[in-house]
Amino acid sequence: MSSTDILFKPFKLGNLELKNRIVMAPMTRTYSPGNVPNDLVVNYYKRRAEGDVGLIVTEGTFIDHPSASGYPNVPALYGEEALAGWKKVVDAVHAAGGKIAPQIWHVGGIRKPGVEPGGDTPGYSPSGMAMPGKVTGHAMTKQDIDDMVAAYAKAAKDSKDIGFDAIELHGAHGYLIDQFFWEGTNQRDDEYGGDLAGRSRFAIEIIEAVRAAVGPDFPIIFRFSQWKQQDYTARLVETPEQLGAFLQPLADAGVDIFHCSTRRFWEPEFEGSDLNLAGWTRKLTGKPAITVGSVSLNADFLPEDGFVDFKNAEPASLDNLIARMEADGFDLVAVGRALIANPDWAKRVQQGELKQLKPYEKELLQKLD
Ligand code: FNR
């Protein structure tokens, strides 16, 4: 059994100081009626902070645009009530010694009309598609793009004002920003389409606008992925050179930390090297990187039938993670499902009690608080 000490080294980036390297992965909960985070939500995040998570990234929380939300009871990141709810979450996490960033989200073409608070608004996406080749919604105009960029920036500024420690932009998994990146869903012939550089323009404008809104010292985390929920085999880049060319403009625009979303952290990203996506990102950009994907579990996130396979997820050894952290040089490790089931996962790891985890599904099904 290798020592887990490396997970518990403090992390510092500018003003952001984390007590350890453990990040709670953003996970949608749909437990915010009226799109307002309530006291159950406060308690949920507080428990993870009390369990010694270094940085909590919240569930996706949507920007101020009628097309932004794709699922019922997801919290908003605008409006007096929702922001007051989030402020309570932030204060509770801080009181428990934790740090917290909201994951700023727009679902893009995934949205179907009828999901509140957007009413009849259709899905908005670069070419009216959430799936390659299938037009189901509204293709965004230049005005829509400008409105959206402004809404992201406003959400980031509001987040800073209510005390969040950083923000994360959701640029992954086939949602709006990723629909621009992905050539399957971005068939535009203006400056927001074309090659990957063009398809990155929307993200770059968002990052620049967020940076201008929050100032130079406030950390911006950017989450991206090769895989899409619409297609697990989709890829944005095929080589390290292409990855570097994709990420460098995002870094130049103002990203401080990259959150490299993979379903299994132990998989090498490109042939000919053992480095995973976070390892490559760290090496190519020099920016801190977060790895994620089945940490401490031995079952995949989203297996083939599309459901999260809680039942077959059992605790797995961290040896492989620690070895990779040392070899690949990534800085932070995000943990998802293991932290739903065990708010004190970090404490258990530190105390060497991981083997005592209870079966995940029992606690999960009984109380998702
Ligand atoms: C997720 N995931 C996710 N990702 C994201 O960027 N925004 C989100 O809102 C969500 N929502 C969400 C809900 C639930 C119930 C799960 C299980 C997952 C993906 C998540 O952040 C993470 O990348 C994966 O769960 C893989 O990590 P684990 O669970 O294998 O540690």
Side-chain angles (χ1 to χ4, degrees), residues 276-331:
N276 75 4
L277 187 61
W280 274 114
T281 296
R282 180 76 166 96
K283 184 181 159 103
L284 292 166
T285 66
K287 296 282 179 191
I290 308 175
T291 200
V292 65
S294 304
V295 169
S296 122
L297 302 177
N298 64 6
D300 292 348
F301 169 61
L302 296 177
E304 298 319 314
D305 64 7
F307 289 96
V308 179
D309 192 3
F310 289 120
K311 287 217 177 73
N312 294 313
E314 294 286 342
S317 153
L318 293 180
D319 292 1
N320 187 1
L321 176 75
I322 302 300
R324 218 168 230 295
M325 211 168 166
E326 283 163 358
D328 287 17
F330 50 75
D331 306 81

Side-chain angles (χ1 to χ4, degrees), residues 25-28 59-60 103 105 168 170 173 223 261-263 292-295 297 301 308 310 334-338 340:
M27 285 179 290
T28 291
E59 63 205 285
Q103 189 190 45
W105 194 20
E168 174 167 295
H170 193 343
H173 305 171
R223 192 171 224 220
S261 176
T262 52
R263 295 167 61 212
V292 65
S294 304
V295 169
L297 302 177
F301 169 61
V308 179
F310 289 120
V335 178
R337 289 165 295 163
I340 296 182

